[in-house]
Amino acid sequence: MADGARMGAKSKRILVTGGSGLVGRAIEQVVKEGAGQAEEEWIFLSSKDADLTDAAETKAVFDRYQPTHVIHLAAMVGGLFRNMKYNLDFWRKNVHINDNVLHSAHEHGVTKVISCLSTCIFPDKTTYPVDETMIHNGPPHSSNFGYSYAKRMIDIQNRAYSEQHGRMFTAVIPTNVFGMHDNFNIEDGHVLPGLIHKTYLAQRNGTSLAVWGSGNPRRQFIFSLDLARLFIWVLREYKEIEPIILSVGEEDEVSIKEAAESIVAAMGFKGELVFDTSKSDGQYKKTASNSKLRKYLPDFKFTPFSQAVKETCDWFVANSDQARK
Ligand code: NAP
Ligand code: GFB
């Protein structure tokens, strides 16, 4: 179909790659709750629709939907321990996915693409807080160099598509995300879903809760529904090629120990917390500044951390059978 002019098609067709994941499901929820607009058609993809590491399958899904806008979330994703095991896979899969999606978007004349970096990709040796100008200022932490370099290449590609073809391809840099529909797998997932799952099992089995590492590292956590609302704003209002950090403030940074205690309170766990220091701490901190975001959205309200943790814990307990784990 020339230029995607399908009979009765809405004027804006927004393709969300990685739409079945933590962030994608949050965007789907806020769109359903009214954040969408009449002229918009939203399409949420999973890997069943196309393996985006494959160029032909990527082209086919773009041919099928003829998107005008793309929110590009699809990636090989994982917590510290999965990254430490599979740095090569994180590099290769994500480089292929990103090149296929961005090039298909270019070839299909997509108006705007928003891709996803992460605050864990910043230089390991750096001053704090990190900001958007510092992405390429030095090597990332050794634990996730594969993922980090693959993500950094998105920023390079965005600049190249802008310079050579005038494309509006940009990116956001979320901090650690958590919420409903996360990956609660204890080995491969991130810290909050991992601790929620472990607390659930400790409660059921009457055992202690093993927090990995010292509990001293520090993180800024953003609730997936807040990130989703910010994604919708970026889609509509953000016009820079340069990426923008989407994170709670520096003052909202908590230690892993404090995060574990929030989960314990939310789950009503009465057992013992044990810190397994034989496990890696990973990056001690990656404190990011959200001052660029605040210049645009000074009044945006983040969900209080304890409330977001409680909502996530309640969701997991109610959906533990079908949750990813
Ligand atoms: P997630 O829950 O693991 O979801 C990943 C999504 O990507 C799923 O929809 C998955 O499809 C899809 N996907 C994976 N490999 C694919 C492939 N080969 N072809 C097509 N689709 C594929 O991840 P998430 O936490 O929502 O992350 C979304 C984005 O945010 C990622 O780009 C990630 O790097 C970024 N990010 C996440 C965090 C965080 O803390 N979670 C922090 C910063 C940035 P299936 O469901 O079919 O597997
Ligand atoms: O979310 P997480 O796995 O990844 O957090 P990062 C790891 C930190 O939490 C380490 C501690 O300090 C761990 O010792 N921790 C304590 C646990 N208990 C647990 C647990 O049960 N599970 C896990 N996973 N950690 C990732 C990057 O870094 O951040 C990824 O490697 C990605 O590439 C992600 O960008 C957002 O925050 O350390």
Side-chain angles (χ1 to χ4, degrees), residues 213-246:
S214 66
N216 296 329
R218 304 186 63 75
R219 296 289 183 271
Q220 290 155 289
F221 293 103
I222 185 169
F223 189 34
S224 60
L225 294 177
D226 292 342
L227 178 61
R229 293 182 190 104
L230 291 171
F231 254 109
I232 304 279
W233 169 79
V234 170
L235 178 72
R236 302 216 170 99
E237 308 296 341
Y238 186 67
K239 305 271 187 281
E240 297 183 43
I241 302 297
E242 289 303 305
I244 182 168
I245 287 171
L246 302 182

PDB file of all heavy atoms in Angstrom, residues 213-246:
ATOM      1  N   GLY A 213      23.825  -8.978  47.734  1.00  0.00           N
ATOM      2  CA  GLY A 213      24.755  -7.868  47.909  1.00  0.00           C
ATOM      3  C   GLY A 213      24.654  -7.297  49.313  1.00  0.00           C
ATOM      4  O   GLY A 213      24.030  -7.861  50.211  1.00  0.00           O
ATOM      5  N   SER A 214      25.289  -6.124  49.473  1.00  0.00           N
ATOM      6  CA  SER A 214      25.377  -5.487  50.792  1.00  0.00           C
ATOM      7  C   SER A 214      24.112  -4.711  51.153  1.00  0.00           C
ATOM      8  O   SER A 214      23.882  -4.368  52.316  1.00  0.00           O
ATOM      9  CB  SER A 214      26.561  -4.508  50.790  1.00  0.00           C
ATOM     10  OG  SER A 214      26.270  -3.440  49.878  1.00  0.00           O
ATOM     11  N   GLY A 215      23.318  -4.357  50.163  1.00  0.00           N
ATOM     12  CA  GLY A 215      22.161  -3.482  50.388  1.00  0.00           C
ATOM     13  C   GLY A 215      22.532  -2.007  50.354  1.00  0.00           C
ATOM     14  O   GLY A 215      21.659  -1.138  50.437  1.00  0.00           O
ATOM     15  N   ASN A 216      23.821  -1.707  50.187  1.00  0.00           N
ATOM     16  CA  ASN A 216      24.274  -0.306  50.214  1.00  0.00           C
ATOM     17  C   ASN A 216      24.112   0.444  48.893  1.00  0.00           C
ATOM     18  O   ASN A 216      23.954   1.667  48.909  1.00  0.00           O
ATOM     19  CB  ASN A 216      25.752  -0.238  50.638  1.00  0.00           C
ATOM     20  CG  ASN A 216      25.934  -0.733  52.059  1.00  0.00           C
ATOM     21  OD1 ASN A 216      25.036  -0.577  52.889  1.00  0.00           O
ATOM     22  ND2 ASN A 216      27.070  -1.368  52.339  1.00  0.00           N
ATOM     23  N   PRO A 217      24.167  -0.237  47.716  1.00  0.00           N
ATOM     24  CA  PRO A 217      24.041   0.523  46.449  1.00  0.00           C
ATOM     25  C   PRO A 217      22.761   1.356  46.436  1.00  0.00           C
ATOM     26  O   PRO A 217      21.801   1.045  47.159  1.00  0.00           O
ATOM     27  CB  PRO A 217      24.024  -0.560  45.371  1.00  0.00           C
ATOM     28  CG  PRO A 217      24.841  -1.661  45.973  1.00  0.00           C
ATOM     29  CD  PRO A 217      24.463  -1.641  47.431  1.00  0.00           C
ATOM     30  N   ARG A 218      22.779   2.394  45.627  1.00  0.00           N
ATOM     31  CA  ARG A 218      21.666   3.340  45.616  1.00  0.00           C
ATOM     32  C   ARG A 218      21.043   3.410  44.220  1.00  0.00           C
ATOM     33  O   ARG A 218      21.726   3.360  43.208  1.00  0.00           O
ATOM     34  CB  ARG A 218      22.152   4.725  46.066  1.00  0.00           C
ATOM     35  CG  ARG A 218      22.829   4.676  47.443  1.00  0.00           C
ATOM     36  CD  ARG A 218      23.178   6.027  47.971  1.00  0.00           C
ATOM     37  NE  ARG A 218      21.993   6.870  48.191  1.00  0.00           N
ATOM     38  CZ  ARG A 218      21.150   6.730  49.206  1.00  0.00           C
ATOM     39  NH1 ARG A 218      21.337   5.753  50.098  1.00  0.00           N
ATOM     40  NH2 ARG A 218      20.113   7.527  49.348  1.00  0.00           N
ATOM     41  N   ARG A 219      19.727   3.553  44.175  1.00  0.00           N
ATOM     42  CA  ARG A 219      19.005   3.585  42.905  1.00  0.00           C
ATOM     43  C   ARG A 219      17.877   4.611  42.949  1.00  0.00           C
ATOM     44  O   ARG A 219      17.299   4.865  44.022  1.00  0.00           O
ATOM     45  CB  ARG A 219      18.381   2.209  42.585  1.00  0.00           C
ATOM     46  CG  ARG A 219      19.399   1.093  42.368  1.00  0.00           C
ATOM     47  CD  ARG A 219      20.167   1.236  41.090  1.00  0.00           C
ATOM     48  NE  ARG A 219      21.084   0.131  40.845  1.00  0.00           N
ATOM     49  CZ  ARG A 219      22.345   0.078  41.262  1.00  0.00           C
ATOM     50  NH1 ARG A 219      22.834   1.090  41.999  1.00  0.00           N
ATOM     51  NH2 ARG A 219      23.127  -0.955  40.971  1.00  0.00           N
ATOM     52  N   GLN A 220      17.553   5.175  41.808  1.00  0.00           N
ATOM     53  CA  GLN A 220      16.325   5.957  41.613  1.00  0.00           C
ATOM     54  C   GLN A 220      15.356   5.044  40.873  1.00  0.00           C
ATOM     55  O   GLN A 220      15.716   4.521  39.806  1.00  0.00           O
ATOM     56  CB  GLN A 220      16.618   7.219  40.776  1.00  0.00           C
ATOM     57  CG  GLN A 220      17.436   8.273  41.487  1.00  0.00           C
ATOM     58  CD  GLN A 220      18.184   9.166  40.502  1.00  0.00           C
ATOM     59  OE1 GLN A 220      19.136   8.733  39.867  1.00  0.00           O
ATOM     60  NE2 GLN A 220      17.735  10.413  40.369  1.00  0.00           N
ATOM     61  N   PHE A 221      14.179   4.841  41.408  1.00  0.00           N
ATOM     62  CA  PHE A 221      13.203   3.952  40.779  1.00  0.00           C
ATOM     63  C   PHE A 221      12.018   4.761  40.254  1.00  0.00           C
ATOM     64  O   PHE A 221      11.485   5.616  40.966  1.00  0.00           O
ATOM     65  CB  PHE A 221      12.687   2.922  41.799  1.00  0.00           C
ATOM     66  CG  PHE A 221      13.720   1.942  42.253  1.00  0.00           C
ATOM     67  CD1 PHE A 221      14.322   2.072  43.489  1.00  0.00           C
ATOM     68  CD2 PHE A 221      14.101   0.874  41.431  1.00  0.00           C
ATOM     69  CE1 PHE A 221      15.289   1.157  43.922  1.00  0.00           C
ATOM     70  CE2 PHE A 221      15.061  -0.045  41.855  1.00  0.00           C
ATOM     71  CZ  PHE A 221      15.660   0.100  43.094  1.00  0.00           C
ATOM     72  N   ILE A 222      11.622   4.488  39.016  1.00  0.00           N
ATOM     73  CA  ILE A 222      10.439   5.171  38.465  1.00  0.00           C
ATOM     74  C   ILE A 222       9.321   4.149  38.245  1.00  0.00           C
ATOM     75  O   ILE A 222       9.565   3.049  37.717  1.00  0.00           O
ATOM     76  CB  ILE A 222      10.782   5.935  37.155  1.00  0.00           C
ATOM     77  CG1 ILE A 222       9.567   6.743  36.660  1.00  0.00           C
ATOM     78  CG2 ILE A 222      11.296   4.996  36.069  1.00  0.00           C
ATOM     79  CD1 ILE A 222       9.899   7.720  35.532  1.00  0.00           C
ATOM     80  N   PHE A 223       8.128   4.499  38.708  1.00  0.00           N
ATOM     81  CA  PHE A 223       6.962   3.625  38.561  1.00  0.00           C
ATOM     82  C   PHE A 223       6.577   3.563  37.077  1.00  0.00           C
ATOM     83  O   PHE A 223       6.540   4.603  36.394  1.00  0.00           O
ATOM     84  CB  PHE A 223       5.820   4.193  39.398  1.00  0.00           C
ATOM     85  CG  PHE A 223       4.602   3.299  39.538  1.00  0.00           C
ATOM     86  CD1 PHE A 223       4.711   1.914  39.596  1.00  0.00           C
ATOM     87  CD2 PHE A 223       3.333   3.862  39.616  1.00  0.00           C
ATOM     88  CE1 PHE A 223       3.586   1.110  39.753  1.00  0.00           C
ATOM     89  CE2 PHE A 223       2.203   3.067  39.777  1.00  0.00           C
ATOM     90  CZ  PHE A 223       2.334   1.698  39.842  1.00  0.00           C
ATOM     91  N   SER A 224       6.272   2.397  36.560  1.00  0.00           N
ATOM     92  CA  SER A 224       6.046   2.229  35.114  1.00  0.00           C
ATOM     93  C   SER A 224       4.914   3.122  34.594  1.00  0.00           C
ATOM     94  O   SER A 224       4.977   3.631  33.473  1.00  0.00           O
ATOM     95  CB  SER A 224       5.739   0.763  34.794  1.00  0.00           C
ATOM     96  OG  SER A 224       4.564   0.344  35.498  1.00  0.00           O
ATOM     97  N   LEU A 225       3.882   3.338  35.421  1.00  0.00           N
ATOM     98  CA  LEU A 225       2.753   4.175  34.950  1.00  0.00           C
ATOM     99  C   LEU A 225       3.160   5.643  34.840  1.00  0.00           C
ATOM    100  O   LEU A 225       2.697   6.370  33.959  1.00  0.00           O
ATOM    101  CB  LEU A 225       1.546   4.012  35.881  1.00  0.00           C
ATOM    102  CG  LEU A 225       0.909   2.617  35.890  1.00  0.00           C
ATOM    103  CD1 LEU A 225      -0.235   2.557  36.897  1.00  0.00           C
ATOM    104  CD2 LEU A 225       0.416   2.223  34.496  1.00  0.00           C
ATOM    105  N   ASP A 226       4.070   6.078  35.719  1.00  0.00           N
ATOM    106  CA  ASP A 226       4.580   7.458  35.601  1.00  0.00           C
ATOM    107  C   ASP A 226       5.425   7.583  34.334  1.00  0.00           C
ATOM    108  O   ASP A 226       5.316   8.555  33.584  1.00  0.00           O
ATOM    109  CB  ASP A 226       5.451   7.813  36.819  1.00  0.00           C
ATOM    110  CG  ASP A 226       4.636   7.899  38.113  1.00  0.00           C
ATOM    111  OD1 ASP A 226       3.406   8.032  38.037  1.00  0.00           O
ATOM    112  OD2 ASP A 226       5.262   7.817  39.188  1.00  0.00           O
ATOM    113  N   LEU A 227       6.264   6.581  34.081  1.00  0.00           N
ATOM    114  CA  LEU A 227       7.095   6.596  32.868  1.00  0.00           C
ATOM    115  C   LEU A 227       6.206   6.605  31.635  1.00  0.00           C
ATOM    116  O   LEU A 227       6.469   7.330  30.667  1.00  0.00           O
ATOM    117  CB  LEU A 227       8.034   5.391  32.847  1.00  0.00           C
ATOM    118  CG  LEU A 227       8.930   5.261  31.611  1.00  0.00           C
ATOM    119  CD1 LEU A 227       9.860   6.470  31.457  1.00  0.00           C
ATOM    120  CD2 LEU A 227       9.753   3.973  31.671  1.00  0.00           C
ATOM    121  N   ALA A 228       5.136   5.829  31.693  1.00  0.00           N
ATOM    122  CA  ALA A 228       4.211   5.762  30.548  1.00  0.00           C
ATOM    123  C   ALA A 228       3.622   7.138  30.244  1.00  0.00           C
ATOM    124  O   ALA A 228       3.541   7.562  29.084  1.00  0.00           O
ATOM    125  CB  ALA A 228       3.103   4.753  30.838  1.00  0.00           C
ATOM    126  N   ARG A 229       3.226   7.847  31.314  1.00  0.00           N
ATOM    127  CA  ARG A 229       2.656   9.197  31.112  1.00  0.00           C
ATOM    128  C   ARG A 229       3.689  10.146  30.499  1.00  0.00           C
ATOM    129  O   ARG A 229       3.372  10.974  29.632  1.00  0.00           O
ATOM    130  CB  ARG A 229       2.148   9.755  32.453  1.00  0.00           C
ATOM    131  CG  ARG A 229       0.959   8.990  32.991  1.00  0.00           C
ATOM    132  CD  ARG A 229       0.415   9.563  34.304  1.00  0.00           C
ATOM    133  NE  ARG A 229      -0.559   8.629  34.872  1.00  0.00           N
ATOM    134  CZ  ARG A 229      -0.290   7.819  35.919  1.00  0.00           C
ATOM    135  NH1 ARG A 229       0.900   7.889  36.515  1.00  0.00           N
ATOM    136  NH2 ARG A 229      -1.196   6.978  36.363  1.00  0.00           N
ATOM    137  N   LEU A 230       4.941   9.968  30.915  1.00  0.00           N
ATOM    138  CA  LEU A 230       6.011  10.808  30.362  1.00  0.00           C
ATOM    139  C   LEU A 230       6.291  10.451  28.903  1.00  0.00           C
ATOM    140  O   LEU A 230       6.561  11.334  28.072  1.00  0.00           O
ATOM    141  CB  LEU A 230       7.269  10.676  31.218  1.00  0.00           C
ATOM    142  CG  LEU A 230       7.167  11.301  32.612  1.00  0.00           C
ATOM    143  CD1 LEU A 230       8.392  10.931  33.458  1.00  0.00           C
ATOM    144  CD2 LEU A 230       7.021  12.811  32.529  1.00  0.00           C
ATOM    145  N   PHE A 231       6.184   9.163  28.556  1.00  0.00           N
ATOM    146  CA  PHE A 231       6.362   8.748  27.163  1.00  0.00           C
ATOM    147  C   PHE A 231       5.323   9.436  26.264  1.00  0.00           C
ATOM    148  O   PHE A 231       5.625   9.903  25.167  1.00  0.00           O
ATOM    149  CB  PHE A 231       6.211   7.228  27.031  1.00  0.00           C
ATOM    150  CG  PHE A 231       7.503   6.492  26.822  1.00  0.00           C
ATOM    151  CD1 PHE A 231       8.037   5.697  27.814  1.00  0.00           C
ATOM    152  CD2 PHE A 231       8.185   6.586  25.615  1.00  0.00           C
ATOM    153  CE1 PHE A 231       9.235   5.010  27.627  1.00  0.00           C
ATOM    154  CE2 PHE A 231       9.380   5.895  25.407  1.00  0.00           C
ATOM    155  CZ  PHE A 231       9.904   5.114  26.417  1.00  0.00           C
ATOM    156  N   ILE A 232       4.079   9.505  26.751  1.00  0.00           N
ATOM    157  CA  ILE A 232       3.014  10.129  25.940  1.00  0.00           C
ATOM    158  C   ILE A 232       3.355  11.606  25.711  1.00  0.00           C
ATOM    159  O   ILE A 232       3.200  12.154  24.617  1.00  0.00           O
ATOM    160  CB  ILE A 232       1.655  10.006  26.658  1.00  0.00           C
ATOM    161  CG1 ILE A 232       1.332   8.562  26.985  1.00  0.00           C
ATOM    162  CG2 ILE A 232       0.548  10.685  25.834  1.00  0.00           C
ATOM    163  CD1 ILE A 232       0.784   7.710  25.933  1.00  0.00           C
ATOM    164  N   TRP A 233       3.868  12.252  26.757  1.00  0.00           N
ATOM    165  CA  TRP A 233       4.276  13.667  26.618  1.00  0.00           C
ATOM    166  C   TRP A 233       5.411  13.779  25.600  1.00  0.00           C
ATOM    167  O   TRP A 233       5.378  14.653  24.712  1.00  0.00           O
ATOM    168  CB  TRP A 233       4.714  14.237  27.983  1.00  0.00           C
ATOM    169  CG  TRP A 233       5.381  15.566  27.828  1.00  0.00           C
ATOM    170  CD1 TRP A 233       4.772  16.781  27.629  1.00  0.00           C
ATOM    171  CD2 TRP A 233       6.789  15.818  27.803  1.00  0.00           C
ATOM    172  NE1 TRP A 233       5.717  17.778  27.472  1.00  0.00           N
ATOM    173  CE2 TRP A 233       6.960  17.204  27.579  1.00  0.00           C
ATOM    174  CE3 TRP A 233       7.923  15.005  27.956  1.00  0.00           C
ATOM    175  CZ2 TRP A 233       8.228  17.798  27.503  1.00  0.00           C
ATOM    176  CZ3 TRP A 233       9.198  15.588  27.872  1.00  0.00           C
ATOM    177  CH2 TRP A 233       9.326  16.965  27.649  1.00  0.00           C
ATOM    178  N   VAL A 234       6.416  12.893  25.685  1.00  0.00           N
ATOM    179  CA  VAL A 234       7.552  12.949  24.741  1.00  0.00           C
ATOM    180  C   VAL A 234       7.032  12.771  23.311  1.00  0.00           C
ATOM    181  O   VAL A 234       7.401  13.494  22.399  1.00  0.00           O
ATOM    182  CB  VAL A 234       8.596  11.862  25.086  1.00  0.00           C
ATOM    183  CG1 VAL A 234       9.647  11.734  23.978  1.00  0.00           C
ATOM    184  CG2 VAL A 234       9.274  12.187  26.413  1.00  0.00           C
ATOM    185  N   LEU A 235       6.087  11.836  23.138  1.00  0.00           N
ATOM    186  CA  LEU A 235       5.535  11.585  21.799  1.00  0.00           C
ATOM    187  C   LEU A 235       4.928  12.848  21.214  1.00  0.00           C
ATOM    188  O   LEU A 235       5.079  13.164  20.043  1.00  0.00           O
ATOM    189  CB  LEU A 235       4.456  10.492  21.900  1.00  0.00           C
ATOM    190  CG  LEU A 235       3.720  10.128  20.621  1.00  0.00           C
ATOM    191  CD1 LEU A 235       4.636   9.350  19.669  1.00  0.00           C
ATOM    192  CD2 LEU A 235       2.474   9.300  20.934  1.00  0.00           C
ATOM    193  N   ARG A 236       4.244  13.606  22.034  1.00  0.00           N
ATOM    194  CA  ARG A 236       3.481  14.750  21.541  1.00  0.00           C
ATOM    195  C   ARG A 236       4.264  16.064  21.551  1.00  0.00           C
ATOM    196  O   ARG A 236       4.061  16.900  20.683  1.00  0.00           O
ATOM    197  CB  ARG A 236       2.212  14.928  22.372  1.00  0.00           C
ATOM    198  CG  ARG A 236       1.349  13.683  22.355  1.00  0.00           C
ATOM    199  CD  ARG A 236      -0.132  13.949  22.342  1.00  0.00           C
ATOM    200  NE  ARG A 236      -0.864  12.709  22.090  1.00  0.00           N
ATOM    201  CZ  ARG A 236      -1.426  11.970  23.045  1.00  0.00           C
ATOM    202  NH1 ARG A 236      -1.358  12.362  24.311  1.00  0.00           N
ATOM    203  NH2 ARG A 236      -2.041  10.848  22.750  1.00  0.00           N
ATOM    204  N   GLU A 237       5.155  16.233  22.535  1.00  0.00           N
ATOM    205  CA  GLU A 237       5.714  17.574  22.761  1.00  0.00           C
ATOM    206  C   GLU A 237       7.228  17.690  22.610  1.00  0.00           C
ATOM    207  O   GLU A 237       7.734  18.763  22.362  1.00  0.00           O
ATOM    208  CB  GLU A 237       5.351  18.034  24.196  1.00  0.00           C
ATOM    209  CG  GLU A 237       3.877  17.934  24.550  1.00  0.00           C
ATOM    210  CD  GLU A 237       2.988  18.844  23.698  1.00  0.00           C
ATOM    211  OE1 GLU A 237       3.526  19.808  23.097  1.00  0.00           O
ATOM    212  OE2 GLU A 237       1.781  18.580  23.599  1.00  0.00           O
ATOM    213  N   TYR A 238       7.970  16.612  22.786  1.00  0.00           N
ATOM    214  CA  TYR A 238       9.433  16.736  22.826  1.00  0.00           C
ATOM    215  C   TYR A 238       9.982  16.748  21.399  1.00  0.00           C
ATOM    216  O   TYR A 238       9.735  15.840  20.615  1.00  0.00           O
ATOM    217  CB  TYR A 238      10.023  15.551  23.618  1.00  0.00           C
ATOM    218  CG  TYR A 238      11.511  15.632  23.850  1.00  0.00           C
ATOM    219  CD1 TYR A 238      12.062  16.623  24.675  1.00  0.00           C
ATOM    220  CD2 TYR A 238      12.385  14.730  23.237  1.00  0.00           C
ATOM    221  CE1 TYR A 238      13.439  16.695  24.899  1.00  0.00           C
ATOM    222  CE2 TYR A 238      13.762  14.806  23.449  1.00  0.00           C
ATOM    223  CZ  TYR A 238      14.280  15.787  24.278  1.00  0.00           C
ATOM    224  OH  TYR A 238      15.635  15.850  24.496  1.00  0.00           O
ATOM    225  N   LYS A 239      10.744  17.787  21.083  1.00  0.00           N
ATOM    226  CA  LYS A 239      11.166  17.962  19.688  1.00  0.00           C
ATOM    227  C   LYS A 239      12.681  17.871  19.484  1.00  0.00           C
ATOM    228  O   LYS A 239      13.176  18.137  18.383  1.00  0.00           O
ATOM    229  CB  LYS A 239      10.700  19.354  19.193  1.00  0.00           C
ATOM    230  CG  LYS A 239       9.196  19.606  19.351  1.00  0.00           C
ATOM    231  CD  LYS A 239       8.410  19.157  18.138  1.00  0.00           C
ATOM    232  CE  LYS A 239       6.940  19.571  18.216  1.00  0.00           C
ATOM    233  NZ  LYS A 239       6.147  18.659  19.120  1.00  0.00           N
ATOM    234  N   GLU A 240      13.433  17.517  20.518  1.00  0.00           N
ATOM    235  CA  GLU A 240      14.892  17.449  20.386  1.00  0.00           C
ATOM    236  C   GLU A 240      15.342  16.068  19.904  1.00  0.00           C
ATOM    237  O   GLU A 240      14.678  15.076  20.211  1.00  0.00           O
ATOM    238  CB  GLU A 240      15.563  17.733  21.741  1.00  0.00           C
ATOM    239  CG  GLU A 240      15.320  19.117  22.315  1.00  0.00           C
ATOM    240  CD  GLU A 240      16.083  19.314  23.622  1.00  0.00           C
ATOM    241  OE1 GLU A 240      17.271  18.910  23.692  1.00  0.00           O
ATOM    242  OE2 GLU A 240      15.498  19.877  24.580  1.00  0.00           O
ATOM    243  N   ILE A 241      16.446  16.005  19.195  1.00  0.00           N
ATOM    244  CA  ILE A 241      17.075  14.719  18.865  1.00  0.00           C
ATOM    245  C   ILE A 241      17.840  14.227  20.099  1.00  0.00           C
ATOM    246  O   ILE A 241      17.912  13.037  20.389  1.00  0.00           O
ATOM    247  CB  ILE A 241      18.054  14.872  17.676  1.00  0.00           C
ATOM    248  CG1 ILE A 241      17.328  15.426  16.445  1.00  0.00           C
ATOM    249  CG2 ILE A 241      18.750  13.553  17.344  1.00  0.00           C
ATOM    250  CD1 ILE A 241      16.233  14.538  15.896  1.00  0.00           C
ATOM    251  N   GLU A 242      18.399  15.172  20.833  1.00  0.00           N
ATOM    252  CA  GLU A 242      19.147  14.824  22.057  1.00  0.00           C
ATOM    253  C   GLU A 242      18.230  14.069  23.019  1.00  0.00           C
ATOM    254  O   GLU A 242      17.070  14.454  23.182  1.00  0.00           O
ATOM    255  CB  GLU A 242      19.636  16.105  22.752  1.00  0.00           C
ATOM    256  CG  GLU A 242      20.764  16.807  21.992  1.00  0.00           C
ATOM    257  CD  GLU A 242      21.957  15.895  21.784  1.00  0.00           C
ATOM    258  OE1 GLU A 242      22.473  15.358  22.793  1.00  0.00           O
ATOM    259  OE2 GLU A 242      22.345  15.681  20.625  1.00  0.00           O
ATOM    260  N   PRO A 243      18.718  13.028  23.690  1.00  0.00           N
ATOM    261  CA  PRO A 243      17.866  12.278  24.621  1.00  0.00           C
ATOM    262  C   PRO A 243      17.517  13.073  25.864  1.00  0.00           C
ATOM    263  O   PRO A 243      18.143  14.082  26.166  1.00  0.00           O
ATOM    264  CB  PRO A 243      18.705  11.046  24.969  1.00  0.00           C
ATOM    265  CG  PRO A 243      20.108  11.407  24.645  1.00  0.00           C
ATOM    266  CD  PRO A 243      20.067  12.449  23.575  1.00  0.00           C
ATOM    267  N   ILE A 244      16.493  12.602  26.582  1.00  0.00           N
ATOM    268  CA  ILE A 244      16.072  13.250  27.834  1.00  0.00           C
ATOM    269  C   ILE A 244      15.915  12.186  28.922  1.00  0.00           C
ATOM    270  O   ILE A 244      15.303  11.139  28.709  1.00  0.00           O
ATOM    271  CB  ILE A 244      14.752  14.040  27.634  1.00  0.00           C
ATOM    272  CG1 ILE A 244      14.348  14.760  28.943  1.00  0.00           C
ATOM    273  CG2 ILE A 244      13.624  13.174  27.097  1.00  0.00           C
ATOM    274  CD1 ILE A 244      13.240  15.787  28.754  1.00  0.00           C
ATOM    275  N   ILE A 245      16.508  12.468  30.077  1.00  0.00           N
ATOM    276  CA  ILE A 245      16.413  11.541  31.224  1.00  0.00           C
ATOM    277  C   ILE A 245      14.997  11.614  31.801  1.00  0.00           C
ATOM    278  O   ILE A 245      14.463  12.701  32.035  1.00  0.00           O
ATOM    279  CB  ILE A 245      17.465  11.914  32.300  1.00  0.00           C
ATOM    280  CG1 ILE A 245      18.876  11.527  31.815  1.00  0.00           C
ATOM    281  CG2 ILE A 245      17.162  11.219  33.632  1.00  0.00           C
ATOM    282  CD1 ILE A 245      20.002  12.041  32.706  1.00  0.00           C
ATOM    283  N   LEU A 246      14.389  10.456  32.010  1.00  0.00           N
ATOM    284  CA  LEU A 246      13.067  10.375  32.651  1.00  0.00           C
ATOM    285  C   LEU A 246      13.259   9.628  33.975  1.00  0.00           C
ATOM    286  O   LEU A 246      13.358   8.392  34.007  1.00  0.00           O
ATOM    287  CB  LEU A 246      12.070   9.641  31.744  1.00  0.00           C
ATOM    288  CG  LEU A 246      11.848  10.254  30.355  1.00  0.00           C
ATOM    289  CD1 LEU A 246      10.788   9.444  29.589  1.00  0.00           C
ATOM    290  CD2 LEU A 246      11.443  11.719  30.429  1.00  0.00           C
TER     291      LEU A 246
END
